Amino acid sequence: MPPDAESAERYRGQSLGLPPSGPGSLAPTGRRIAAFLLDLVAAGLVASPFVHRRDLPGLAAHLPGQWSLIPLVLDYLIGLLLFGRSLGMYLTGLRVIRVDARLAIGPIRALVRTALLVALIPALVADRDFRGLHDRLTATAVIVH
């Protein structure tokens, strides 16, 4: 079979044993980005009432800046450990699974994945399945729930 025909038959998630579409398939990039943006907005909304900078006028004094990382990290850690997803993933119908075993993600894997995601750069380095470095290093994948 020519290489072009072989790559045309291959789909995202095939090497992980996931279906080509529907529940259990790898999440589309747009939905993953939407989930992450929802998590960022929620974290900012949670952090902003606790921030008050005297050097900025009006609403700008309540912009959370880096303080929003605290609720973002808590959202990911607690969400992954208890439910397998963050708030944004829940709202967009996504879930994080282990691809190496049918087990819960576990605290170490959730912590490493969250730390890499907060660093953002690993999330931008993707393989041919469009899984970020944070997913590859923790043997996880984001799927459609």
Side-chain angles (χ1 to χ4, degrees), residues 54-77:
R54 296 170 200 250
D55 60 331
L56 295 173
L59 289 177
H62 294 283
L63 292 176
Q66 293 176 340
W67 288 105
S68 63
L69 290 177
I70 295 170
L72 180 69
V73 167
L74 291 174
D75 174 29
Y76 271 86
L77 284 178

Side-chain angles (χ1 to χ4, degrees), residues 35-119:
F36 184 65
L37 291 175
L38 286 168
D39 287 329
L40 288 176
V41 169
L45 290 173
V46 168
S48 63
F50 300 101
V51 176
H52 184 74
R53 295 183 50 186
R54 296 170 200 250
D55 60 331
L56 295 173
L59 289 177
H62 294 283
L63 292 176
Q66 293 176 340
W67 288 105
S68 63
L69 290 177
I70 295 170
L72 180 69
V73 167
L74 291 174
D75 174 29
Y76 271 86
L77 284 178
I78 294 168
L80 289 178
L81 289 173
L82 297 180
F83 310 108
R85 52 182 154 179
S86 66
L87 175 64
M89 289 179 197
Y90 173 77
L91 294 173
T92 55
L94 304 178
R95 183 180 182 91
V96 178
I97 61 162
R98 283 182 59 171
V99 295
D100 62 342
R102 293 198 179 265
L103 298 171
I105 293 171
I108 300 298
R109 201 175 298 257
L111 182 64
V112 171
R113 187 181 188 283
T114 300
L116 290 169
L117 184 64
V118 169

